[in-house]
Amino acid sequence: MASNVTYILRCADGTLYTGWTNDLERRLQAHNAGIGAKYTRPRRPVTLVYQETFPSKQQAMRREWEIKQLSRPEKLQLIAQRPEAKEKP
């Protein structure tokens, strides 16, 4: 069963990218292979710094939108509050 995940990546240039997926490992590989989002292609490698899992696609997409409305300092605070979200390439 696929899980619906909202995630934040730290790009090589220090910027943050927020997205959602139903296969996090595959999506991370795609981002780092340059076939993920247009934004992350020139900013590789990317590192997973935050994730939340939801029962439905709609909930994950709603949370993605909410996170995208946050300022950078607010996103960094969100990341810092979830120490279990270990950074991984």
Side-chain angles (χ1 to χ4, degrees):
M1 182 173 139
S3 61
N4 298 283
V5 180
T6 301
Y7 61 91
I8 301 175
L9 304 176
R10 184 180 318 277
C11 300
D13 65 359
T15 59
L16 300 172
Y17 172 84
T18 304
W20 83 273
T21 184
N22 59 13
D23 187 339
L24 186 57
E25 290 301 322
R26 181 182 54 79
R27 190 68 176 143
L28 288 174
Q29 290 173 359
H31 280 297
N32 278 315
I35 55 175
K38 186 177 180 181
Y39 182 84
T40 60
R41 286 179 201 151
R43 294 172 171 86
R44 293 177 287 153
V46 298
T47 305
L48 177 66
V49 294
Y50 182 84
Q51 68 185 66
E52 287 183 49
T53 304
F54 297 93
S56 74
K57 171 184 173 178
Q58 291 76 18
Q59 289 171 305
M61 291 175 74
R62 184 177 315 117
R63 183 61 174 148
E64 175 193 18
W65 182 86
E66 290 171 357
I67 291 172
K68 286 183 173 183
Q69 304 314 301
L70 300 176
S71 65
R72 179 178 172 82
E74 289 170 328
K75 289 176 189 175
L76 293 173
Q77 184 178 19
L78 182 67
I79 292 164
Q81 291 173 352
R82 301 280 298 239
E84 71 277 8
K86 303 279 191 260
E87 292 197 15
K88 65 181 192 177

